[in-house]
Amino acid sequence: LGCPILSSMEVVQVGETEEGMPVFVDQYAYEADGVILCGRVKAHTAFRGPYESGILKMAVIGMGKQHGAEHVHQDGFSDLGRLLPMIARVIFDKVNILGAVAVAENAFDQTCIIKGMLKEEIYEEEPKLLIASKQRLGKIYFDNIDVLVVDRIGKDISGDGMDPNITGRFAVPYINEGIKVQHIAVLDLTDETHGNCNGLGLADVTTKRLVDKIDVDCTYPNVVTSTVLCTPKIPLFTHSDKTCIQIALRTCNYIDREHPRVVRIK
């Protein structure tokens, strides 16, 4: 389309919430004649609410850039479901938001819903899309798994490397839902994550091959901004996939050792 790509970390403060939290927006977006928000609507990995990952989060966290995200996350994720719409209202009042294009995916990571919304429709329509997205989320149809083997994790798959909404292993203590897994073995990183190992700390065993690919300079800014420091921790690691899976199995407690329950996902 010949449109320029203007990208920077520069932000401007556009106001404060009713509770006194400063609200920041990307400088280019603030100066634009109009903004069309675009985001994938899906279940978040660390908080619950009518708005989770999606359009409002893209306005608040995305357009807020690093500086804005730090302010929003400074007290963790537990209250983010309540704060997100409150912060977004300040942005909607101060920035020329024209509308939004929301997308949702099915269990195969394929886009299955595309919905255009006017600015006035976003608050009402996004929660409906979130429900539809959660209904289409992939899931493991087994519970009480002894070992879950994950071939690879990465930021291109989930903010937490592997989606806790599927694995049942969350990084925050106040979400405890989904399947029960005793040990998770992670074998590798995706190429697309560029060494960002966020989410590795949710595994129990991994491989040296994965550890050698870690780029801490790529990983840590994301972790520090989120304030959840457990997600990049390096677990016990082994020299082969086979040993990794064997150790995960051997160290399980109270299982049927003749018939262990092992699930492997890509």
Side-chain angles (χ1 to χ4, degrees):
L1 294 176
C3 302
I5 296 174
L6 305 176
S7 177
S8 82
M9 284 293 182
E10 296 302 315
V11 293
V12 294
Q13 182 174 343
V14 296
E16 293 183 351
T17 67
E18 56 203 60
E19 297 178 355
M21 177 184 288
V23 178
F24 299 92
V25 167
D26 173 84
Q27 184 172 348
Y28 287 124
Y30 181 68
E31 295 171 352
D33 294 328
V35 173
I36 299 173
L37 297 164
C38 183
R40 179 177 63 170
V41 178
K42 70 186 294 281
H44 198 271
T45 61
F47 72 90
R48 293 288 176 257
Y51 310 91
E52 295 181 20
S53 288
I55 300 302
L56 292 196
K57 180 168 179 281
M58 197 56 65
V60 173
I61 308 293
M63 287 207 303
K65 298 297 181 81
Q66 175 91 16
H67 191 64
E70 284 179 349
H71 278 270
V72 175
H73 288 102
Q74 63 187 2
D75 292 322
F77 284 93
S78 61
D79 206 26
L80 208 51
R82 182 184 68 86
L83 292 175
L84 204 59
M86 184 190 305
I87 301 167
R89 288 197 187 279
V90 178
I91 295 172
F92 278 41
D93 287 342
K94 301 294 185 179
V95 180
N96 190 15
I97 307 292
L98 302 179
V101 178
V103 299
E105 296 176 348
N106 61 20
F108 302 97
D109 294 331
Q110 299 165 333
T111 300
C112 64
I113 299 172
I114 303 177
K115 184 174 179 63
M117 296 175 283
L118 296 173
K119 174 182 177 179
E120 298 74 24
E121 298 174 305
I122 294 172
Y123 269 84
E124 183 178 349
E125 295 299 321
E126 184 175 344
K128 300 175 186 176
L129 290 171
L130 179 60
I131 293 171
S133 173
K134 287 184 176 182
Q135 291 170 342
R136 291 162 173 78
L137 190 67
K139 68 176 295 183
I140 298 170
Y141 286 91
F142 301 96
D143 201 355
N144 295 318
I145 297 168
D146 298 330
V147 173
L148 175 64
V149 180
V150 183
D151 282 0
R152 56 209 177 102
I153 67 171
K155 290 290 290 187
D156 53 308
I157 295 172
S158 170
D160 281 4
M162 47 183 168
D163 194 343
N165 298 294
I166 294 173
T167 66
R169 183 73 65 84
F170 289 86
V172 291
Y174 41 82
I175 300 182
N176 184 19
E177 58 192 41
I179 63 174
K180 303 301 178 186
V181 178
Q182 189 165 160
H183 285 160
I184 295 180
V186 172
L187 306 182
D188 208 343
L189 292 178
T190 64
D191 292 337
E192 292 81 4
T193 199
H194 302 295
N196 189 325
C197 71
N198 205 3
L200 181 60
L202 303 179
D204 300 289
V205 196
T206 190
T207 65
K208 187 174 185 297
R209 177 179 70 249
L210 183 155
V211 172
D212 289 342
K213 294 180 179 180
I214 293 174
D215 181 342
V216 295
D217 293 327
C218 181
T219 304
Y220 289 174
N222 181 198
V223 174
V224 173
T225 300
S226 75
T227 74
V228 183
L229 297 183
C230 66
T231 54
K233 288 185 176 181
I234 299 174
L236 182 153
F237 57 90
T238 67
H239 288 284
S240 71
D241 293 0
K242 179 181 179 181
T243 310
C244 178
I245 297 167
Q246 284 178 323
I247 288 177
L249 261 174
R250 177 168 179 167
T251 54
C252 283
N253 304 129
Y254 299 104
I255 68 170
D256 182 348
R257 301 193 181 279
E258 296 301 316
H259 305 94
R261 295 172 62 84
V262 181
V263 171
R264 181 182 178 190
I265 59 176
K266 186 176 181 181

